[in-house]
Amino acid sequence: MDLHTIETTIRLRSRSEMPDWREGDAWLAGGTWLYSEPQPALRRLIDLTGLGWPAHESGSDGLTLAATCTVAALERLDLPAAWIAAPLVRQCCRSLLGSFKVWNGATVGGNLCLALPAGPIIALTTALEGTCLLWAPDGSERRLTVPEVVIGPQRNALAPGEILRSVTLPASALSRRTAFRRISLSPHGRSGALLIGTLGADGAFALTVTASVPRPLRLAFPRAPERDDLLHAVEAAIPGGLYYDDVHGRPDWRRHMTLHFAGEILAELTEARA
């Protein structure tokens, strides 16, 4: 970031202090991406860290993560034994490759709102049916699912001045068995495909596809499908031209790995149940 363009930083202490949004504003939480490259259009930073939101809160109905919860705090979270999806939290956190400084700065909200296809917190919260709470400048609120918030590479559904307050994961999703697959072109590279499968006690199966596609995709089935049926469903949901194309992977490779991992995940979850 070119700090010479920043005219002022507003440090919020309460929601009532949220200023009128104007061009050149940016929310500041961890700032790991904001400070990583020049931002010549920015004129004002609005610092959220003074709001004092608890990083996470859990109850019988589920787990709520503040937008300002860091990846490090999320990775250290000790969840109830009944929430058998808990290992998935650590798997996704460790997919955000970076130093301890990055982990202690990067936030849940930042990962979601930046909306990079490889965002591992996007994958986690999509797979566990996260609901995002959004605050508007006029005091109103709305709730959207993660796939409704993340609409494309570095594009989200937040209106100007709107802020992501938190994301809530229901206990029902946290109580499901999970299977995780991830691949990149290099040992420390950005994810080229990241897939998560979940299986409930009632047999309901869901497959979440991220990194290989521009935005998160979740396919849900009332019962675990046959392998061919699952692969046909993936092919129907992701036409060939929809696979993401950048330096971290060609579309044909991403498609191959997506279908391969989908089959592996289905086999892992259904064979363990048998």
Side-chain angles (χ1 to χ4, degrees):
M1 180 189 296
D2 184 355
L3 297 178
H4 296 293
T5 68
I6 303 301
E7 299 169 358
T8 186
T9 298
I10 300 173
R11 293 178 173 81
L12 301 182
R13 293 293 181 269
S14 68
R15 183 177 182 179
S16 64
E17 295 178 0
M18 289 174 61
D20 292 333
W21 191 259
R22 66 192 191 195
E23 188 175 352
D25 282 354
W27 300 114
L28 174 65
T32 53
W33 177 81
L34 201 60
Y35 288 109
S36 70
E37 59 184 62
Q39 310 284 350
L42 295 188
R43 296 294 180 270
R44 189 170 66 162
L45 298 179
I46 306 171
D47 189 349
L48 305 176
T49 56
L51 291 169
W53 296 335
H56 42 74
E57 298 177 283
S58 60
S60 59
D61 56 344
L63 172 69
T64 296
L65 304 172
T68 50
C69 175
T70 65
V71 172
L74 179 59
E75 199 271 344
R76 292 193 298 265
L77 192 55
D78 186 19
L79 297 176
W83 291 355
I84 57 175
L88 183 64
V89 175
R90 191 162 287 109
Q91 288 171 316
C92 288
C93 288
R94 292 179 179 176
S95 298
L96 181 64
L97 302 175
S99 68
F100 72 93
K101 292 182 179 180
V102 171
W103 271 38
N104 282 284
T107 61
V108 167
N111 198 261
L112 286 168
C113 293
L114 184 55
L116 291 174
I121 308 305
I122 295 172
L124 172 69
T125 53
T126 297
L128 297 182
E129 300 182 32
T131 299
C132 299
L133 173 61
L134 307 182
W135 281 1
D138 63 4
S140 61
E141 300 177 352
R142 61 180 178 139
R143 287 174 169 80
L144 298 177
T145 65
V146 175
E148 289 173 330
V149 169
V150 180
I151 59 177
Q154 293 188 258
R155 294 176 54 232
N156 63 57
L158 275 68
E162 200 168 30
I163 184 174
L164 173 61
R165 166 61 183 88
S166 61
V167 57
T168 297
L169 311 177
S172 57
L174 288 159
S175 301
R176 296 181 185 136
R177 294 181 50 247
T178 64
F180 173 93
R181 294 292 188 280
R182 174 187 176 273
I183 193 169
S184 64
L185 289 176
S186 63
H188 300 291
R190 183 176 292 181
S191 299
L194 196 165
L195 278 70
I196 297 168
T198 64
L199 186 68
D202 59 356
F205 174 85
L207 179 73
T208 294
V209 181
T210 65
S212 59
V213 288
R215 57 179 296 185
L217 171 69
R218 185 175 183 272
L219 300 175
F221 304 83
R223 292 290 184 272
E226 296 296 324
R227 184 179 186 277
D228 286 348
D229 292 336
L230 174 61
L231 299 187
H232 287 153
V234 173
E235 291 277 61
I238 314 174
L242 194 60
Y243 282 95
Y244 198 49
D245 185 8
D246 69 357
V247 298
H248 301 287
R250 290 169 50 92
D252 55 349
W253 173 72
R254 293 181 194 261
R255 173 181 175 272
H256 172 77
M257 296 311 306
T258 296
L259 295 172
H260 177 70
F261 284 159
E264 283 194 348
I265 285 170
L266 178 65
E268 178 180 331
L269 290 175
T270 55
E271 288 172 5
R273 183 185 58 177

mmCIF file of all heavy atoms in Angstrom, residues 140-160:
data_model
loop_
_atom_site.group_PDB
_atom_site.id
_atom_site.type_symbol
_atom_site.label_atom_id
_atom_site.label_comp_id
_atom_site.label_asym_id
_atom_site.label_seq_id
_atom_site.Cartn_x
_atom_site.Cartn_y
_atom_site.Cartn_z
ATOM 1 N N SER A 140 -29.604 -1.427 9.312
ATOM 2 C CA SER A 140 -30.306 -2.661 8.967
ATOM 3 C C SER A 140 -29.309 -3.819 8.837
ATOM 4 O O SER A 140 -28.091 -3.619 8.804
ATOM 5 C CB SER A 140 -31.076 -2.489 7.653
ATOM 6 O OG SER A 140 -30.185 -2.199 6.588
ATOM 7 N N GLU A 141 -29.853 -5.030 8.780
ATOM 8 C CA GLU A 141 -29.036 -6.230 8.675
ATOM 9 C C GLU A 141 -29.635 -7.158 7.641
ATOM 10 O O GLU A 141 -30.835 -7.097 7.355
ATOM 11 C CB GLU A 141 -28.961 -6.958 10.026
ATOM 12 C CG GLU A 141 -28.355 -6.134 11.144
ATOM 13 C CD GLU A 141 -28.363 -6.864 12.478
ATOM 14 O OE1 GLU A 141 -28.994 -7.963 12.553
ATOM 15 O OE2 GLU A 141 -27.758 -6.365 13.441
ATOM 16 N N ARG A 142 -28.812 -8.000 7.082
ATOM 17 C CA ARG A 142 -29.315 -9.077 6.231
ATOM 18 C C ARG A 142 -28.396 -10.281 6.364
ATOM 19 O O ARG A 142 -27.251 -10.160 6.808
ATOM 20 C CB ARG A 142 -29.434 -8.644 4.771
ATOM 21 C CG ARG A 142 -28.140 -8.215 4.096
ATOM 22 C CD ARG A 142 -28.407 -7.817 2.659
ATOM 23 N NE ARG A 142 -27.201 -7.357 1.984
ATOM 24 C CZ ARG A 142 -26.876 -7.671 0.740
ATOM 25 N NH1 ARG A 142 -27.673 -8.461 0.032
ATOM 26 N NH2 ARG A 142 -25.765 -7.202 0.188
ATOM 27 N N ARG A 143 -28.929 -11.435 6.000
ATOM 28 C CA ARG A 143 -28.175 -12.684 6.101
ATOM 29 C C ARG A 143 -28.130 -13.365 4.742
ATOM 30 O O ARG A 143 -29.158 -13.498 4.070
ATOM 31 C CB ARG A 143 -28.806 -13.609 7.146
ATOM 32 C CG ARG A 143 -28.559 -13.140 8.584
ATOM 33 C CD ARG A 143 -29.309 -13.984 9.601
ATOM 34 N NE ARG A 143 -28.865 -13.693 10.956
ATOM 35 C CZ ARG A 143 -29.263 -12.651 11.673
ATOM 36 N NH1 ARG A 143 -30.119 -11.790 11.127
ATOM 37 N NH2 ARG A 143 -28.821 -12.455 12.905
ATOM 38 N N LEU A 144 -26.932 -13.789 4.368
ATOM 39 C CA LEU A 144 -26.719 -14.486 3.106
ATOM 40 C C LEU A 144 -25.861 -15.718 3.356
ATOM 41 O O LEU A 144 -25.054 -15.748 4.278
ATOM 42 C CB LEU A 144 -25.989 -13.584 2.098
ATOM 43 C CG LEU A 144 -26.666 -12.288 1.656
ATOM 44 C CD1 LEU A 144 -25.734 -11.520 0.720
ATOM 45 C CD2 LEU A 144 -27.986 -12.561 0.962
ATOM 46 N N THR A 145 -26.030 -16.736 2.530
ATOM 47 C CA THR A 145 -25.132 -17.880 2.587
ATOM 48 C C THR A 145 -23.780 -17.469 2.004
ATOM 49 O O THR A 145 -23.667 -16.449 1.306
ATOM 50 C CB THR A 145 -25.681 -19.060 1.790
ATOM 51 O OG1 THR A 145 -25.726 -18.705 0.400
ATOM 52 C CG2 THR A 145 -27.081 -19.441 2.261
ATOM 53 N N VAL A 146 -22.764 -18.263 2.265
ATOM 54 C CA VAL A 146 -21.434 -17.935 1.745
ATOM 55 C C VAL A 146 -21.421 -17.907 0.211
ATOM 56 O O VAL A 146 -20.871 -16.970 -0.379
ATOM 57 C CB VAL A 146 -20.375 -18.902 2.309
ATOM 58 C CG1 VAL A 146 -19.013 -18.641 1.669
ATOM 59 C CG2 VAL A 146 -20.285 -18.756 3.825
ATOM 60 N N PRO A 147 -22.027 -18.893 -0.488
ATOM 61 C CA PRO A 147 -22.046 -18.790 -1.955
ATOM 62 C C PRO A 147 -22.816 -17.578 -2.471
ATOM 63 O O PRO A 147 -22.583 -17.154 -3.608
ATOM 64 C CB PRO A 147 -22.729 -20.103 -2.385
ATOM 65 C CG PRO A 147 -22.444 -21.051 -1.276
ATOM 66 C CD PRO A 147 -22.522 -20.204 -0.034
ATOM 67 N N GLU A 148 -23.706 -17.023 -1.679
ATOM 68 C CA GLU A 148 -24.391 -15.791 -2.085
ATOM 69 C C GLU A 148 -23.499 -14.570 -1.882
ATOM 70 O O GLU A 148 -23.666 -13.563 -2.578
ATOM 71 C CB GLU A 148 -25.689 -15.624 -1.295
ATOM 72 C CG GLU A 148 -26.769 -16.614 -1.679
ATOM 73 C CD GLU A 148 -27.984 -16.541 -0.773
ATOM 74 O OE1 GLU A 148 -27.831 -16.194 0.424
ATOM 75 O OE2 GLU A 148 -29.099 -16.840 -1.249
ATOM 76 N N VAL A 149 -22.585 -14.639 -0.933
ATOM 77 C CA VAL A 149 -21.669 -13.526 -0.675
ATOM 78 C C VAL A 149 -20.525 -13.518 -1.678
ATOM 79 O O VAL A 149 -20.155 -12.469 -2.225
ATOM 80 C CB VAL A 149 -21.124 -13.595 0.767
ATOM 81 C CG1 VAL A 149 -19.975 -12.602 0.957
ATOM 82 C CG2 VAL A 149 -22.240 -13.295 1.766
ATOM 83 N N VAL A 150 -19.942 -14.677 -1.933
ATOM 84 C CA VAL A 150 -18.786 -14.786 -2.838
ATOM 85 C C VAL A 150 -19.315 -15.025 -4.248
ATOM 86 O O VAL A 150 -19.724 -16.138 -4.580
ATOM 87 C CB VAL A 150 -17.848 -15.920 -2.398
ATOM 88 C CG1 VAL A 150 -16.659 -16.019 -3.343
ATOM 89 C CG2 VAL A 150 -17.383 -15.710 -0.965
ATOM 90 N N ILE A 151 -19.297 -13.996 -5.088
ATOM 91 C CA ILE A 151 -19.948 -14.095 -6.393
ATOM 92 C C ILE A 151 -18.966 -14.197 -7.558
ATOM 93 O O ILE A 151 -19.377 -14.384 -8.703
ATOM 94 C CB ILE A 151 -20.917 -12.925 -6.620
ATOM 95 C CG1 ILE A 151 -20.188 -11.584 -6.529
ATOM 96 C CG2 ILE A 151 -22.062 -12.992 -5.617
ATOM 97 C CD1 ILE A 151 -21.088 -10.392 -6.817
ATOM 98 N N GLY A 152 -17.663 -14.083 -7.298
ATOM 99 C CA GLY A 152 -16.664 -14.216 -8.345
ATOM 100 C C GLY A 152 -15.296 -13.856 -7.817
ATOM 101 O O GLY A 152 -15.164 -13.407 -6.668
ATOM 102 N N PRO A 153 -14.257 -14.054 -8.615
ATOM 103 C CA PRO A 153 -12.902 -13.722 -8.158
ATOM 104 C C PRO A 153 -12.787 -12.256 -7.740
ATOM 105 O O PRO A 153 -12.997 -11.348 -8.545
ATOM 106 C CB PRO A 153 -12.029 -14.028 -9.388
ATOM 107 C CG PRO A 153 -12.816 -15.035 -10.161
ATOM 108 C CD PRO A 153 -14.254 -14.639 -9.967
ATOM 109 N N GLN A 154 -12.512 -12.046 -6.463
ATOM 110 C CA GLN A 154 -12.403 -10.718 -5.864
ATOM 111 C C GLN A 154 -13.673 -9.881 -6.058
ATOM 112 O O GLN A 154 -13.621 -8.659 -6.130
ATOM 113 C CB GLN A 154 -11.169 -9.983 -6.402
ATOM 114 C CG GLN A 154 -9.866 -10.634 -5.953
ATOM 115 C CD GLN A 154 -8.647 -9.823 -6.317
ATOM 116 O OE1 GLN A 154 -7.948 -10.123 -7.276
ATOM 117 N NE2 GLN A 154 -8.382 -8.781 -5.541
ATOM 118 N N ARG A 155 -14.817 -10.572 -6.064
ATOM 119 C CA ARG A 155 -16.113 -9.903 -6.153
ATOM 120 C C ARG A 155 -17.033 -10.483 -5.095
ATOM 121 O O ARG A 155 -17.198 -11.704 -5.008
ATOM 122 C CB ARG A 155 -16.753 -10.086 -7.530
ATOM 123 C CG ARG A 155 -16.009 -9.414 -8.665
ATOM 124 C CD ARG A 155 -16.653 -9.727 -10.011
ATOM 125 N NE ARG A 155 -18.070 -9.393 -10.004
ATOM 126 C CZ ARG A 155 -19.045 -10.222 -10.358
ATOM 127 N NH1 ARG A 155 -18.758 -11.479 -10.711
ATOM 128 N NH2 ARG A 155 -20.299 -9.838 -10.350
ATOM 129 N N ASN A 156 -17.618 -9.625 -4.277
ATOM 130 C CA ASN A 156 -18.571 -10.086 -3.276
ATOM 131 C C ASN A 156 -19.861 -9.281 -3.391
ATOM 132 O O ASN A 156 -19.941 -8.278 -4.108
ATOM 133 C CB ASN A 156 -17.982 -9.998 -1.862
ATOM 134 C CG ASN A 156 -17.657 -8.577 -1.449
ATOM 135 O OD1 ASN A 156 -18.523 -7.695 -1.455
ATOM 136 N ND2 ASN A 156 -16.404 -8.328 -1.083
ATOM 137 N N ALA A 157 -20.886 -9.746 -2.679
ATOM 138 C CA ALA A 157 -22.223 -9.172 -2.794
ATOM 139 C C ALA A 157 -22.471 -8.018 -1.825
ATOM 140 O O ALA A 157 -23.599 -7.517 -1.755
ATOM 141 C CB ALA A 157 -23.264 -10.271 -2.569
ATOM 142 N N LEU A 158 -21.463 -7.581 -1.095
ATOM 143 C CA LEU A 158 -21.667 -6.498 -0.134
ATOM 144 C C LEU A 158 -21.902 -5.177 -0.871
ATOM 145 O O LEU A 158 -21.193 -4.852 -1.828
ATOM 146 C CB LEU A 158 -20.463 -6.351 0.803
ATOM 147 C CG LEU A 158 -20.463 -7.269 2.036
ATOM 148 C CD1 LEU A 158 -20.273 -8.726 1.621
ATOM 149 C CD2 LEU A 158 -19.372 -6.856 3.013
ATOM 150 N N ALA A 159 -22.897 -4.436 -0.409
ATOM 151 C CA ALA A 159 -23.175 -3.115 -0.970
ATOM 152 C C ALA A 159 -22.162 -2.114 -0.414
ATOM 153 O O ALA A 159 -21.505 -2.386 0.604
ATOM 154 C CB ALA A 159 -24.594 -2.687 -0.608
ATOM 155 N N PRO A 160 -21.980 -0.962 -1.062
ATOM 156 C CA PRO A 160 -21.048 0.045 -0.539
ATOM 157 C C PRO A 160 -21.370 0.401 0.917
ATOM 158 O O PRO A 160 -22.517 0.687 1.260
ATOM 159 C CB PRO A 160 -21.282 1.248 -1.458
ATOM 160 C CG PRO A 160 -21.728 0.640 -2.747
ATOM 161 C CD PRO A 160 -22.570 -0.538 -2.354
#
